Amino acid sequence: MRYALVTGGSRGIGRAICQKLYQMGYEVLINYVSNEAAAKETLALIEGHGALMPFDVANPEAVSSAITAWQEAHPDSYIEVLVNNAGIRRDGLLIWMDPQDWHKVLDTNLSGWYNVTRALLQPMLVHRYGRIVNVASLSGIKGLPGQCNYSAAKGGLIAATKALAQEVARKKVTVNAVAPGFIRTEMVEGLDESTLKKDIPAARFGEPEEVAAVVGFLSSAEASYVNGEVISVNGGLYT
Ligand SMILES: NC(=O)c1ccc[n+]([C@@H]2O[C@H](COP(=O)([O-])OP(=O)(O)OC[C@H]3O[C@@H](n4cnc5c(N)ncnc54)[C@H](OP(=O)(O)O)[C@@H]3O)[C@@H](O)[C@H]2O)c1
């Protein structure tokens, strides 16, 4: 069996990515932090071809113990696809941004990447095959007002993507990112789509499946010569 891990796989974009990887033949490990019911729904959608793997990506000990336990239970396998998708936003103008909102977003969206990627990288290098796909954001490319914390985390994620790609390319491991624009999930609930879509050339928000399609390509064997790349999925909003 071939294994993939999707952080934040319980809902939204992560759920659609789990479904895509299942369609590609993977057993999908569905990570989440608290919403077990949603994670179980995702597992049902992939017809039980996977397992739940709860942990807080921002907690290095929790990440390490979950992955070590899985590896000990599966000594002859390794996780060959990692999609770093877990993320949160805590928006606010910098002048009013609490330290907690700065640190929580950086800890989850950027340090979470470090914690999970580092835990899974060695087996990919040893087996000389791996795919790492990081879910960044338009905010990390363009910067968005009210999102200094989120833009910094996603911009850092993009830079880390490019750096790690160069470290591991020789071992046939690729590291790429997608940068979604506005995608219809719980994360954008409360945003005024009718106003925002006036600035989007496609004149609508995107669907999680439209992000998952690109992640699926970057996770595939066919994408072997794409490395350190960031692909925007934003309806033409920013290029
Ligand atoms: N939606 C957009 O417009 C958009 C645009 C650009 C980028 N993105 C990025 O796309 C990714 C997915 O976003 P989404 O819109 O699908 O968000 P969402 O619907 O809010 O789902 C967030 C997912 O991340 C998980 N999560 C949050 N904190 C976590 C933690 N500390 N440890 C482990 N898992 C955690 C959640 O788990 P629980 O279910 O347990 O809470 C959930 O599965 C994020 O990285 C986000 O920044 C989204």
Side-chain angles (χ1 to χ4, degrees):
M1 279 196 271
R2 300 169 74 201
Y3 291 93
L5 168 61
V6 180
T7 68
S10 52
R11 297 184 280 121
I13 294 170
R15 172 179 284 176
I17 293 169
C18 290
Q19 292 178 273
K20 171 56 77 177
L21 292 171
Y22 163 59
Q23 288 161 15
M24 291 166 63
Y26 281 99
E27 293 289 305
V28 185
L29 306 172
I30 303 162
N31 163 257
Y32 62 100
V33 63
S34 61
N35 198 335
E36 187 183 41
K40 282 182 172 165
E41 273 178 46
T42 303
L43 186 59
L45 286 166
I46 63 169
E47 300 179 321
H49 281 274
L52 306 188
M53 194 187 265
F55 56 76
D56 178 351
V57 296
N59 180 333
E61 292 80 28
V63 173
S64 172
S65 68
I67 289 173
T68 302
W70 183 87
Q71 194 64 73
E72 284 172 3
H74 301 81
D76 300 326
S77 302
Y78 79 109
I79 296 168
E80 65 177 50
V81 173
L82 165 62
V83 182
N84 287 294
N85 165 79
I88 56 164
R89 66 184 182 94
R90 296 278 187 280
D91 296 354
L93 296 176
L94 187 75
I95 198 156
W96 291 305
M97 188 178 285
D98 293 334
Q100 305 91 279
D101 288 342
W102 173 263
H103 289 295
K104 182 85 178 158
V105 169
L106 269 290
D107 288 351
T108 303
N109 297 9
L110 187 55
S111 299
W113 174 85
Y114 165 81
N115 294 333
V116 181
T117 304
R118 191 157 172 269
L120 292 186
L121 192 58
Q122 196 185 13
M124 292 186 189
L125 299 175
V126 168
H127 288 89
R128 290 183 159 264
Y129 184 85
R131 294 282 179 268
I132 299 171
V133 184
N134 303 317
V135 181
S137 171
L138 166 74
S139 188
I141 298 175
K142 181 178 180 288
L144 292 179
Q147 292 198 322
C148 285
N149 50 358
Y150 187 82
S151 296
K154 295 298 191 180
L157 184 60
I158 287 170
T161 298
K162 294 178 181 180
L164 182 60
Q166 295 171 69
E167 292 183 16
V168 299
R170 258 173 216 275
K171 302 280 189 184
K172 301 184 176 20
V173 176
T174 65
V175 190
N176 292 289
V178 293
F182 293 101
I183 307 299
R184 206 171 284 120
T185 69
E186 284 172 39
M187 185 175 270
V188 300
E189 264 175 18
L191 298 187
D192 180 5
E193 180 172 349
S194 59
T195 305
L196 288 166
K197 75 180 187 186
K198 290 181 189 140
D199 292 327
I200 303 172
R204 62 174 177 86
F205 280 10
E207 299 297 336
E209 292 72 22
E210 294 176 295
V211 180
V214 181
V215 174
F217 167 66
L218 293 172
S219 302
S220 71
E222 286 77 8
S224 47
Y225 208 54
V226 183
N227 213 346
E229 190 54 75
V230 184
I231 301 182
S232 288
V233 187
N234 63 19
L237 179 55
Y238 186 79
T239 53

